[in-house]
């Protein structure tokens, strides 16, 4: 399997080559040169598999440059009940991604529990594997890498918990002072590992991101300090996320003649694209419903055909979806264009320069529905009332992002087609919204009961790229003799 850029850079690169990379050199995103497809007989066989076998069956098609026994080991040590065992007390952690019926929402409405990993958000599903793959690849080559990132919550903590204590990797994670919930701060800042550096910036999230960009655009600095990224355009994250669509499908159907729809709380569109990928591999998916909050770029696109990234981002009570440019949408648009890289590159030139793409004018709009995509939008009031309704009707506490997913998907639910809403975070991370909805504190996994009491480690800096670069230089310099 080889990877090419959505914008057509001709190089064909194997998986291990693109593992540590962000954007392709031409500014596009890496995509596989074809989608492997499972036959009906193979799908029948996969129905009986546990999570690790399923992950191996799927991922081995995408990274055939890793010896199968090595990939097995990496998967076996990632997807365990210990790593994914932080969720609700009555969850079956041996399933890795247990499925839970919401009895008050109808016969066949489910949530797929993806947030039982160490940071209580679905990003752990792929990031934990990415951490192990990074260490494997860096051990092989003896190279070091320094991950520089900015976070407003879930990505930073997922990256830190995936890379803590790993050889050859240091993590420098910028977050806005007071920009995260107390729980999220405690999660990140309490990590004792020497290779994790939390940097609180006196500013807002956008300033953190600007600093990351400034440091990465300084090519001499980037090369000298071997900067890398683990952001959501990383291909490995996307492909690892396709596995749980299979797991959920088999859990709610009796045979492969049935179809299932998925509700996906969306921001950068990585999770929704992973569903698309599962369908391209042959999984019988009816609809994939991308849910947005008040930042509704994707909802607008699926309704009107106009993809128009915004300049401003609203701060909402489902903050992990506060995104006004859905980076992974480019991968999906590449398929809409019939994998015509020249066409995609032309359309995305407009996006990159602050403009919009009109899918109708390009004759691509019908394909959206053909591919089974729909979208919907939720706002604060709807989010709060859904959290309350599900608590009262199904005795399940859901977080604000999962509530957005249900809000978008329930109106388009088809009779007889089970609906699985991906649970992208646990309510414990978002106390304020839960208290507003239910008048009580969210349930907290017992393993994390005293999180806020642990000692915290962080450095606070002004919002200046030079200050951050100086800190990296000192830390990396300290550890790299010569
Ligand atoms: C990251 C995140 C999302 C958005 O996922 P994308 O793959 O970026 O679309 C939704 N909900 C939560 C809780 C998240 O952390």
């Amino acid at each position: 399997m080889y990877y090419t850029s959505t914008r057509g850079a001709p190089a064909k690169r194997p998986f291990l080559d693109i593992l540590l990379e962000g954007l392709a050199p031409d500014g596009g995103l890496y995509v596989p040169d074809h989608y492997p497809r499972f036959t009906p007989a193979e799908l029948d066989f996969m129905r009986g598999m546990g999570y690790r076998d399923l992950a191996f069956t799927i991922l081995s098609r995408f990274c055939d440059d890793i010896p199968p026994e090595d990939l097995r080991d990496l998967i076996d040590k990632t997807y365990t009940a210990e790593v994914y065992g932080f969720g609700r007390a009555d969850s079956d952690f041996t399933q890795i991604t247990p499925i839970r019926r919401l009895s008050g929402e109808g016969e066949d409405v489910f949530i797929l529990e993806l947030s039982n990993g160490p940071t209580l958000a679905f990003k752990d599903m792929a990031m934990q594997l990415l951490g192990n793959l990074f260490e494997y690849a860096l051990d092989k080559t003896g190279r070091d890498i320094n991950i520089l990132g900015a976070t407003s919550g879930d990505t930073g903590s997922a990256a830190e918990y995936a890379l803590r204590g790993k050889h050859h990797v240091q993590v420098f994670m910028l977050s806005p002072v007071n920009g995260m919930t107390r729980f999220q701060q405690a999660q990140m800042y309490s990590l004792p590992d020497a290779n994790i550096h939390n940097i609180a910036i006196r500013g807002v999230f956008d300033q953190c991101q600007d600093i990351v960009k400034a440091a990465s655009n300084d090519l001499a600095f980037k090369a000298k300090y071997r900067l890398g990224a683990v952001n959501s355009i990383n291909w490995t994250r996307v492909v690892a996320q396709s596995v749980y669509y299979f797991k959920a499908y088999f859990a709610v159907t009796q045979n492969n003649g049935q179809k299932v729809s998925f509700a996906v709380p969306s921001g950068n569109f990585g999770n929704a694209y992973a569903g698309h990928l599962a369908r391209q591999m042959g999984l019988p998916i009816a609809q994939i419903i991308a849910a947005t909050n008040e930042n509704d770029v994707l909802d607008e696109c699926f309704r009107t055909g106009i993809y128009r990234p915004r300049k401003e981002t609203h701060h909402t009570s489902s903050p992990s979806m506060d995104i006004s440019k859905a980076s992974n949408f480019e991968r999906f648009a590449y398929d809409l264009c019939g994998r015509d890289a020249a066409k995609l590159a032309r359309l995305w030139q407009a996006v990159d320069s602050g403009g919009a793409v009109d899918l109708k004018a390009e004759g691509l709009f019908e394909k959206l529905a053909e591919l089974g995509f729909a979208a919907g939008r939720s706002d604060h009031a709807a989010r709060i009332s859904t959290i309350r309704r599900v608590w009262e009707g199904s005795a399940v506490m859901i977080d604000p992002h999962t509530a957005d997913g249900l809000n978008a998907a329930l109106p388009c639910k088809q009779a007889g087609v089970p609906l699985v809403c991906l649970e992208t975070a646990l309510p414990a991370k978002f106390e304020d919204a839960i208290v507003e909805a239910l008048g009580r504190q969210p349930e907290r996994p017992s393993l994390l009961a005293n999180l806020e009491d642990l000692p915290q480690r962080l450095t606070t800096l002004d919002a200046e790229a030079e200050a951050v670069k100086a800190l990296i230089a000192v830390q990396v310099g300290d550890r790299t003799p010569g």
Side-chain angles (χ1 to χ4, degrees):
M1 172 74 75
Y2 289 95
Y3 292 84
T4 56
S5 164
T6 47
R7 311 235 179 141
K12 294 204 148 208
R13 311 183 61 193
F15 176 80
L16 280 171
D17 257 26
I18 62 153
L19 169 65
L20 300 168
E21 291 203 13
L23 290 178
D26 62 356
L29 275 59
Y30 286 110
V31 282
D33 59 3
H34 68 281
Y35 292 128
R37 203 170 167 88
F38 294 109
T39 64
E42 285 171 328
L43 281 175
D44 276 339
F45 189 63
M46 289 160 75
R47 174 171 284 277
M49 289 182 178
Y51 200 94
R52 288 179 287 277
D53 286 340
L54 208 45
F56 178 76
T57 304
I58 295 165
L59 294 173
S60 58
R61 306 277 179 114
F62 289 93
C63 38
D64 46 12
D65 52 335
I66 299 181
E69 56 283 8
D70 292 358
L71 182 63
R72 263 256 163 234
D73 286 349
L74 291 165
I75 286 172
D76 286 353
K77 86 170 177 194
T78 302
Y79 295 109
T80 68
E82 285 70 50
V83 175
Y84 296 98
F86 292 84
R88 298 180 181 87
D90 64 343
S91 291
D92 179 2
F93 299 132
T94 63
Q95 293 295 312
I96 311 302
T97 58
I99 194 115
R100 185 180 292 264
R101 193 160 80 88
L102 299 180
S103 52
E105 303 297 310
E107 266 312 292
D108 53 0
V109 177
F110 304 86
I111 56 173
L112 178 65
E113 296 185 32
L114 301 178
S115 305
N116 299 336
T119 75
L120 311 189
F122 87 100
K123 292 190 172 67
D124 290 328
M125 291 307 307
M127 204 76 93
Q128 287 287 323
L129 180 70
L130 191 67
N132 287 327
L133 274 164
F134 266 33
E135 189 175 54
Y136 170 81
L138 293 167
D139 269 347
K140 269 190 144 178
T141 59
R143 281 195 327 186
D144 289 334
I145 194 168
N146 296 295
I147 300 296
L148 175 62
T151 189
S152 56
D154 295 334
T155 307
S157 53
E160 291 189 354
Y161 279 74
L163 294 170
R164 59 184 296 196
K166 296 273 189 271
H167 334 141
H168 300 299
V169 189
Q170 295 199 63
V171 180
F172 297 87
M173 193 58 66
L174 313 186
S175 53
V177 164
N178 300 326
M180 302 186 290
T181 67
R182 247 167 55 80
F183 180 91
Q184 287 174 318
Q185 290 186 17
Q187 250 187 338
M188 287 178 52
Y189 300 165
S190 66
L191 282 178
D193 307 81
N195 71 329
I196 302 294
H197 309 279
N198 284 304
I199 305 171
I201 296 292
R202 294 187 192 94
V204 296
F205 173 66
D206 288 331
Q207 289 173 291
C208 299
Q209 251 186 336
D210 289 344
I211 294 172
V212 171
K213 269 190 214 147
S216 312
N217 288 343
D218 179 344
L219 295 182
F221 184 83
K222 184 180 179 191
K224 177 162 185 204
Y225 293 103
R226 297 171 304 278
L227 295 190
V230 289
N231 47 24
S232 71
I233 56 161
N234 183 288
W235 170 257
T236 310
R237 288 182 57 184
V238 174
V239 71
Q241 286 171 4
S242 70
V243 175
Y244 50 69
Y245 283 87
F246 285 83
K247 186 79 168 68
Y249 173 84
F250 294 133
V252 302
T253 57
Q254 264 85 53
N255 62 66
N256 299 339
Q258 292 174 272
K259 289 203 165 184
V260 173
S261 292
F262 288 92
V264 190
S266 292
N268 261 322
F269 205 69
N271 211 2
Y273 174 83
H276 169 67
L277 181 61
R279 192 203 330 250
Q280 298 306 308
M281 287 188 263
L283 195 67
I285 294 177
Q287 281 190 298
I288 294 172
I289 303 127
T292 75
N293 60 20
E294 291 89 335
N295 297 289
D296 54 2
V297 173
L298 288 169
D299 179 54
E300 178 181 72
C301 175
F302 286 93
R303 265 185 307 107
T304 66
I306 304 213
Y307 176 60
R308 188 201 316 272
R310 312 266 167 81
K311 301 220 165 43
E312 348 41 65
T313 307
H314 304 289
H315 293 279
T316 75
S317 48
S318 47
S320 305
M321 294 158 59
D322 290 351
I323 288 172
S324 24
K325 179 170 184 274
S327 328
N328 274 295
F329 193 63
E330 178 169 340
R331 287 193 165 109
F332 181 66
Y334 175 71
D335 286 350
L336 282 182
C337 294
R339 312 200 103 211
D340 175 346
K343 179 163 186 176
L344 187 279
R346 174 172 62 77
L347 298 181
W348 249 249
Q349 233 163 28
V351 172
D352 284 349
S353 49
V357 170
D358 184 346
L359 297 177
K360 275 189 184 151
E362 299 292 336
L364 303 175
F365 191 62
E366 286 68 37
K367 270 204 147 177
L368 270 183
E370 250 169 62
L371 286 168
F373 267 83
R377 171 191 198 276
S378 172
D379 62 14
H380 180 75
R383 196 171 296 139
I384 295 296
S385 76
T386 297
I387 293 173
R388 194 177 296 141
R389 187 186 72 239
V390 171
W391 176 244
E392 288 168 357
S394 307
V396 178
M397 202 183 278
I398 57 168
D399 94 295
H401 306 81
T402 309
D404 287 342
L406 285 173
N407 285 339
L410 285 172
C412 28
K413 176 159 183 337
Q414 298 159 327
V417 179
L419 175 69
V420 175
C421 179
L422 306 192
E423 177 172 56
T424 53
L426 283 191
K429 292 190 101 162
F430 303 99
E431 288 180 359
D432 290 355
I434 299 300
V435 169
E436 184 180 342
L438 305 179
R440 53 174 285 174
Q441 290 290 322
E443 298 157 343
R444 166 82 64 101
S446 57
L447 284 169
L448 301 173
N450 301 316
L451 187 66
E452 284 94 333
D453 301 336
L454 298 173
Q456 300 191 1
R457 264 173 70 241
L458 69 154
T459 307
T460 305
L461 295 178
D462 285 335
E464 286 166 9
E466 290 312 315
V468 172
K469 284 157 80 175
L471 185 147
I472 293 173
V474 169
Q475 292 296 331
V476 175
D478 274 355
R479 272 152 235 269
T480 321

